[in-house]
Amino acid sequence: MITIKNLKKSFRTEEVETLALNNVNLKVEDGEFVAIMGSSGCGKSTLLNIIGMLDNPTEGSYNFAGHEVGGLKESQRTQLRKGNLGFVFQSFNLIDELTVYENVELPLIYLKMGKSERKEKVIKVLERMKIAHREKHFPQQLSGGQQQRVAISERLLPIQN
Ligand SMILES: Nc1ncnc2c1ncn2[C@@H]1O[C@H](COP(=O)(O)OP(=O)(O)OP(=O)(O)O)[C@@H](O)[C@H]1O
Ligand SMILES: [Mg+2]
């Protein structure tokens, strides 16, 4: 019922290009139960967004119940989605308009901490949570687990030494 061939998805920001999916091949039969597993940031949500027809692949083909999804009009996709797909989202309470760095820095600004001290603390906690390489990204440009780690960074700050 689901056949995915040579699927690729890349994201581009001003700073970097991320190849989130590199040649995914997948077949799911009717009635089959499938779990997609992998480390944070490996591309699970990206794949599910494409399977859920919420996003488009950069390359490759996706066939759902005999329909080639890439060739469908938005209205046809909507019909197919409504009738066949259910979705539960990941989400976190980060401020969408602020970068990762700025989100973590915000509580320290409220504490009236000086800029250089803030910088030192923010970088330290982001490194500890292995998310410093995404400091200039906005929350929407991160994987769910990465957003979770940013949220944890913010909460770790007051207790970090
Ligand atoms: N809109 C976007 N713009 C730029 N990069 C993105 C965007 N969405 C995802 N990425 C990057 O693509 C990669 C895959 O993200 P994805 O959300 O698919 O991960 P995931 O496997 O669901 O991770 P998690 O378990 O943390 O939820 C990550 O490195 C992420 O930073
Ligand atoms: Mg995810």
Side-chain angles (χ1 to χ4, degrees):
M1 145 162 253
I2 287 177
T3 311
I4 283 172
K5 286 190 188 144
N6 301 325
L7 200 79
K8 292 191 183 188
K9 177 72 180 180
S10 64
F11 294 107
R12 175 177 280 285
T13 68
E14 276 172 32
E15 303 276 320
V16 282
E17 177 160 7
T18 306
L19 186 58
L21 298 174
N22 188 9
N23 268 326
V24 176
N25 288 281
L26 173 73
K27 199 169 187 133
V28 184
E29 303 289 349
D30 276 358
E32 206 177 348
F33 181 98
V34 176
I36 296 168
M37 298 189 288
S39 55
S40 177
C42 78
K44 303 177 295 294
S45 293
T46 303
L47 179 62
L48 288 173
N49 284 338
I50 293 170
I51 291 176
M53 302 177 202
L54 303 171
D55 199 0
N56 292 306
T58 310
E59 270 181 49
S61 75
Y62 169 25
N63 192 291
F64 184 91
H67 303 272
E68 199 49 49
V69 177
L72 297 178
K73 288 189 212 131
E74 195 49 49
S75 60
Q76 295 171 307
R77 276 170 186 242
T78 306
Q79 273 319 107
L80 211 53
R81 199 188 300 125
K82 266 196 213 157
N84 298 280
L85 294 160
F87 231 93
V88 178
F89 293 96
Q90 286 181 316
S91 70
F92 294 97
N93 296 324
L94 296 171
I95 298 170
D96 287 339
E97 292 74 20
L98 300 182
T99 63
V100 164
Y101 183 95
E102 291 162 348
N103 263 283
V104 177
E105 185 188 33
L106 193 61
L108 302 183
I109 294 177
Y110 291 141
L111 288 174
K112 302 204 184 306
M113 188 184 286
K115 191 171 179 178
S116 59
E117 196 184 347
R118 292 202 303 264
K119 185 168 181 182
E120 191 186 317
K121 286 196 181 292
V122 172
I123 296 290
K124 195 168 166 189
V125 78
L126 291 178
E127 279 172 357
R128 184 169 169 198
M129 294 308 295
K130 306 211 181 317
I131 192 71
H133 63 302
R134 292 288 190 247
E135 63 163 305
K136 293 196 173 106
H137 276 54
F138 291 91
Q140 301 301 323
Q141 298 175 317
L142 300 176
S143 77
Q146 289 171 333
Q147 290 177 39
Q148 201 163 25
R149 282 184 275 141
V150 176
I152 294 168
S153 300
E154 212 179 303
R155 259 131 262 185
L156 263 181
L157 260 186
I159 56 171
Q160 167 183 265
N161 48 37

